[in-house]
Amino acid sequence: MRTVTEWNGGWRFAKTAQIPATLPEDWVQVTLPHTWNAVDGQDGGNDYWRGTAMYVRAFSRPALAAGERAWLEFPGAAMTATVTLNGQTLARHEGGYSTFRVDITDALAEDNLLCVAVDNGENDRVYPQKADFTFYGGLYRGVNLIIVPAVHFELGHHGGPGLRMTPEVDLERRTARVKVETWQVGEGLVRLELEGVHGAIFTAPDAAGRAEAVFSLEDVHLWDGVEDPYLYTVTAALLSGGEETDQISARFGCRTIRFDAQEGFFLNGRPYPLRGVSRHQDRAGVGNALTLDHHREDMAIIREIGANTVRLAHYQHAQAYYDLCDEQGLIVWAEIPYITQHMPAGRQNTLDQMTELVVQNYNHPSIVCWGLSNEITASGTATGDLMENHRLLNDLCHRLDPTRPTTMAHVFMLETDSPLIQIADIGSYNLYFGWYLGELEENDRFFDAYHERFPRRVMGFSEYGADANPALQSSHPERGDYTEGYQCLYHEHILRLIDRRPWLWATHVWNLFDFAADGRDEGGKHGVNQKGLVTMDRQVKKDAFYLYKAAWNRTEPFVHLCGRRYVNRAEEVTEIKVYSNCAEVSLTVDGVPVGTLRGERVFTFRVPLTGEHTVTARAGDCTDTITVRRAAQPDPAYRLAQQGEVVNWFDREDFRPDCFSIRDTLGALMAHPGTAPIVKAMMDKARASRGDVAQAASGNRNLERMMAGMSLESLLKQAAGAIPPEAVRQLNAALQRVPK
């Protein structure tokens, strides 16, 4: 029978590509899971170490009975791994997020030296290479030693489990037909048993080592999302010479899914609006070397907020997390890291990573679609090679799995009539109007215009969000200030947008947790994307978290007072905002009733400030309390030190309203013969300096139309770095010389 042993201890580590001849005693001792970027990948500067590092382990030959084989299993080695045993290179794997296995039997000696070179350095063929997150390096999901008999279930087929279940459900009859397939090495009979079904099926493999059987389920117990995520278990055993030699098992769920352009997503025949979050697989001080307890904590937070779907971005996540999604009933969008920048030399890598994603995760009922790419045109146009790459990926997914549709997450500047959108079965857009550029209402206008023009297309909202540093507060939050208050205003608007558009098949907040992006340095934090509803260490749930909990969590009554980190307030009358999933909220200040409001999700009170006050909100049996106090002056700790330079590129006193300025819209400036050359020269300079919004706008009608209605000031705020503040002031001065 097979044995599986964790091989997480006894490793030596060094940042070198040199394979040692003996165990290097002076190297750092590490225990897996491990990443070498847990610190420098999160501290900003875009200078985290990327390159080839070596993991080395010495071991004695494992006891192997006649015919037994020894395999090493690597659930995640980022990004490229080369496995060498006793000086013999046995395998090379390109792709940092999927499982691969290596048969080491024939290279074993009595005393062995295993060397695993892992490389997360830059290249032109292995994805990802350009994206807004840290590309951690390391053996960050551990290593397993698997010993199997001569006759065993397949271990070498794209890292798959060797067992596949395909249920076909008849909702009307409440029955299911479950096809079970196995793959094996060696001659032997397969015995299949389905939990809850009497009797076993015996079947023989074909010439390719594949066996197949069909189970019929009466009164089938459906996998029904978060309400009832019921799982069946199939156990497969190999019988050779009258003895059982190997055994594996896997779970699956019986459910139906459907996507409708007008009514959204259907689960088991009923409308099931998918409303949830996205997740990256890292956390503060740990990087991506997560433990099972970390995964469980993340899942508990998702269940608390009440989401019923999660987009696992932007790569294959740990099997443990897909298992948790199965168990908790979360609907999953799974994808490969084909992101931001198309690399012609990386075509085979996208196909390989997609094959592994589908083969390894086919049995998970939580997964309802395969993501081909994310914002792949962000760094360029949809070239012929890019289009062909997507067609090949789309066809590959349908060959490997005819039961699930393909999807894509499109960057906001992609033309809505682009033929790229039509390659996948369904689609979704990433929109950030109201944060990176434009106004919040432009999200509404974008989706309404799209749905009116393409009423037969299934479309979702795959990313939206606003950065918030919980230390930053304001009585008048505005776009770009990174305050907790603006994040709340942003998401309040987006929730209303979603409520009014039930045809969106899925919506995913970007992101549930803050995550590492070492190239970022903004909002008072280094190396962190702060769009999360929860901080990267999982210790602080920002106020916006409770907005979504109020909208989605229907089982746990609660009340939450916003602004608990906004203690010192300089205003005479302050706004006290309450989030709750109850219909009525009452407020008291220092024990004195202020009022009671009825409503949904958001309850806003106005409270005079005279000193230090204890504010309590009550909804049913739930209470929450904060302290606020009147301050003589605004507390500078609540504002960014560089806020004035970031938000205001010019001296507002210098404005002449009868002349043009950067307050005018891009469309108006480009339409006037006196200002168009000035703005054009500025945009040419921005394009030459970096590939930002100005670069992306070139020749893009969709983006140009949207940008035409935005003020030049608004666009320049998002292009910080491309145009220095002093240059912006000079630009404004030039425009101010042109009368309207």
Side-chain angles (χ1 to χ4, degrees):
M1 297 291 288
R2 79 170 53 192
T3 61
V4 180
T5 305
E6 287 187 353
W7 259 23
N8 291 340
W11 292 89
R12 300 277 177 164
F13 169 79
K15 293 177 179 176
T16 177
Q18 188 66 39
I19 297 176
T22 60
L23 183 68
E25 298 290 349
D26 58 336
W27 286 15
V28 178
Q29 298 184 52
V30 297
T31 299
L32 307 183
H34 175 263
T35 174
W36 61 75
N37 298 123
V39 176
D40 70 352
Q42 305 178 350
D43 61 0
N46 201 30
D47 56 355
Y48 66 103
W49 192 80
R50 295 180 65 183
T52 300
M54 192 72 63
Y55 293 86
V56 178
R57 191 182 196 275
F59 65 98
S60 299
R61 180 185 180 91
L64 298 177
E68 286 189 326
R69 309 294 294 181
W71 289 72
L72 289 181
E73 179 180 65
F74 298 86
M79 296 292 170
T80 297
T82 303
V83 180
T84 302
L85 181 61
N86 300 326
Q88 179 182 348
T89 299
L90 301 182
R92 177 178 172 84
H93 182 262
E94 296 186 337
Y97 305 101
S98 53
T99 296
F100 71 98
R101 303 187 186 101
V102 184
D103 187 342
I104 64 173
T105 312
D106 295 336
L108 286 170
E110 291 305 314
D111 296 305
N112 300 274
L113 189 68
L114 173 67
C115 300
V116 185
V118 186
D119 179 14
N120 70 335
E122 294 183 33
N123 59 72
D124 64 354
R125 69 188 182 282
V126 181
Y127 288 94
Q129 288 298 324
K130 185 176 182 180
D132 185 29
F133 58 92
T134 295
F135 307 147
Y136 297 97
L139 292 177
Y140 67 97
R141 290 183 187 155
V143 175
N144 299 312
L145 171 67
I146 304 175
I147 296 178
V148 291
V151 179
H152 59 270
F153 289 108
E154 178 66 68
L155 288 167
H157 182 65
H158 302 293
L163 174 63
R164 183 172 73 179
M165 289 78 70
T166 307
E168 297 179 10
V169 177
D170 187 323
L171 293 175
E172 187 174 335
R173 294 183 173 85
R174 299 286 296 185
T175 61
R177 179 182 181 273
V178 183
K179 182 170 71 173
V180 181
E181 300 165 276
T182 64
W183 287 261
Q184 69 190 63
V185 174
E187 296 293 329
L189 197 63
V190 181
R191 182 183 68 224
L192 296 169
E193 296 183 272
L194 177 58
E195 179 186 39
V197 176
H198 295 295
I201 294 177
F202 292 83
T203 182
D206 59 22
R210 174 182 167 277
E212 177 183 322
V214 174
F215 287 92
S216 295
L217 294 177
E218 302 295 329
D219 193 24
V220 63
H221 194 154
L222 298 176
W223 186 89
D224 206 26
V226 293
E227 296 177 11
D228 186 12
Y230 184 82
L231 295 168
Y232 287 94
T233 300
V234 167
T235 299
L238 267 176
L239 306 176
S240 181
E243 295 184 359
E244 184 175 317
T245 64
D246 195 14
Q247 185 181 106
I248 56 176
S249 63
R251 300 182 301 180
F252 70 97
C254 293
R255 48 94 175 125
T256 67
I257 57 175
R258 183 166 68 86
F259 301 78
D260 187 271
Q262 296 297 327
E263 299 181 76
F265 180 76
F266 284 70
L267 177 65
N268 297 327
R270 73 182 189 283
Y272 193 81
L274 296 180
R275 304 294 178 253
V277 296
S278 298
R279 178 207 187 228
H280 265 298
Q281 63 170 15
D282 70 342
R283 61 172 57 201
V286 176
N288 61 351
L290 303 185
T291 66
L292 182 57
D293 285 342
H294 290 143
H295 291 305
R296 287 171 172 162
E297 182 181 14
D298 283 4
M299 178 56 68
I301 294 172
I302 291 179
R303 291 308 312 274
E304 179 189 349
I305 204 173
N308 64 5
T309 180
V310 59
R311 182 182 175 204
L312 296 181
H314 287 296
Y315 37 74
Q316 183 170 332
H317 285 230
Q319 282 299 311
Y321 207 79
Y322 293 111
D323 288 341
L324 287 170
C325 291
D326 291 342
E327 295 164 5
Q328 297 296 322
L330 287 178
I331 299 292
V332 171
W333 168 330
E335 62 190 51
I336 60 172
Y338 186 22
I339 179 171
T340 307
Q341 180 182 37
H342 172 70
M343 300 184 297
R347 174 181 292 184
Q348 188 58 48
N349 187 248
T350 67
L351 298 172
D352 291 344
Q353 291 204 49
M354 183 62 78
T355 298
E356 291 174 333
L357 177 71
V358 176
V359 170
Q360 294 173 24
N361 296 284
Y362 183 92
N363 294 327
H364 293 291
S366 55
I367 297 175
V368 300
C369 60
W370 305 115
L372 304 183
S373 65
N374 177 76
E375 296 189 347
I376 197 61
T377 57
S379 295
T381 58
T383 63
D385 191 72
L386 181 148
M387 295 288 289
E388 180 63 15
N389 204 150
H390 281 79
R391 293 187 191 98
L392 292 172
L393 281 171
N394 194 60
D395 293 344
L396 174 66
C397 288
H398 291 152
R399 287 198 306 273
L400 294 172
D401 181 9
T403 72
R404 293 177 175 97
T406 57
T407 190
M408 293 176 64
H410 302 296
V411 67
F412 72 95
M413 73 266 300
L414 180 69
E415 295 279 8
T416 57
D417 59 358
S418 169
L420 180 64
I421 295 176
Q422 300 182 59
I423 291 178
D425 301 311
I426 58 178
S428 209
Y429 258 98
N430 300 346
L431 301 184
Y432 287 98
F433 297 115
W435 182 245
Y436 285 126
L437 73 170
E439 305 303 327
L440 277 164
E441 291 75 18
E442 291 177 65
N443 296 290
D444 307 61
R445 292 194 288 271
F446 178 94
F447 277 122
D448 288 343
Y450 186 95
H451 191 55
E452 181 179 0
R453 186 178 182 188
F454 304 105
R456 296 184 180 180
R457 289 187 187 175
V458 177
M459 185 54 61
F461 200 176
S462 39
E463 285 186 29
Y464 62 92
D467 291 76
N469 182 338
L472 303 180
Q473 305 291 332
S474 174
S475 59
H476 300 288
E478 60 182 2
R479 180 170 66 84
D481 65 7
Y482 292 87
T483 62
E484 199 171 9
Y486 183 76
Q487 188 184 48
C488 288
L489 293 176
Y490 176 96
H491 285 290
E492 288 171 16
H493 179 95
I494 298 296
L495 262 179
R496 292 192 295 269
L497 177 158
I498 293 169
D499 288 344
R500 296 165 184 163
R501 293 159 184 85
W503 49 266
L504 292 168
W505 74 267
T507 63
H508 295 96
V509 177
W510 189 259
N511 199 286
L512 179 57
F513 306 109
D514 290 348
F515 59 91
D518 198 54
R520 284 182 175 255
D521 187 4
E522 57 189 75
K525 289 282 183 73
H526 307 297
V528 180
N529 186 313
Q530 298 182 81
K531 292 183 185 66
L533 304 178
V534 181
T535 54
M536 195 174 173
D537 59 7
R538 278 55 170 176
Q539 296 303 301
V540 176
K541 294 167 182 168
K542 304 175 192 179
D543 287 336
F545 174 91
Y546 295 94
L547 169 68
Y548 283 98
K549 183 175 179 178
W552 295 339
N553 188 322
R554 303 300 184 186
T555 61
E556 177 191 346
F558 82 97
V559 63
H560 172 80
L561 275 162
C562 299
R564 68 190 59 246
R565 286 166 283 276
Y566 183 27
V567 178
N568 302 318
R569 308 189 180 198
E571 57 264 27
E572 293 183 5
V573 178
T574 194
E575 178 183 274
I576 300 294
K577 184 181 294 184
V578 183
Y579 292 147
S580 178
N581 54 4
C582 301
E584 185 175 277
V585 172
S586 298
L587 195 76
T588 62
V589 176
D590 301 327
V592 178
V594 170
T596 298
L597 296 176
R598 292 188 60 81
E600 184 180 18
R601 300 198 293 250
V602 184
F603 305 81
T604 303
F605 300 84
R606 302 287 291 174
V607 174
L609 294 180
T610 57
E612 182 167 304
H613 304 284
T614 299
V615 180
T616 300
R618 179 180 297 276
D621 296 329
C622 306
T623 61
D624 192 24
T625 299
I626 64 172
T627 298
V628 297
R629 69 176 64 95
R630 178 73 188 278
Q633 299 292 332
D635 191 332
Y638 294 152
R639 304 293 287 180
L640 286 171
Q642 301 297 318
Q643 182 70 18
E645 292 185 13
V646 171
V647 175
N648 302 313
W649 298 108
F650 49 86
D651 297 323
R652 295 183 182 273
E653 305 79 34
D654 294 341
F655 268 94
R656 293 177 53 194
D658 58 331
C659 294
F660 285 98
S661 72
I662 61 175
R663 286 181 177 175
D664 290 297
T665 65
L666 180 63
L669 293 169
M670 293 302 290
H672 192 280
T675 55
I678 300 172
V679 176
K680 184 178 183 300
M682 178 275 298
M683 295 183 71
D684 289 342
K685 183 177 180 180
R687 280 194 287 269
S689 64
R690 71 178 195 181
D692 60 359
V693 172
Q695 175 70 43
S698 181
N700 187 310
R701 298 189 310 277
N702 187 40
L703 183 57
E704 287 173 352
R705 285 193 298 269
M706 290 184 286
M707 290 174 64
M710 303 175 197
S711 71
L712 186 56
E713 175 190 8
S714 174
L715 293 170
L716 289 170
K717 287 178 184 178
Q718 310 311 320
I723 305 294
E726 184 57 36
V728 176
R729 294 186 181 96
Q730 294 174 3
L731 169 66
N732 188 64
L735 294 173
Q736 285 271 277
R737 290 195 288 268
V738 182
K740 288 187 176 179

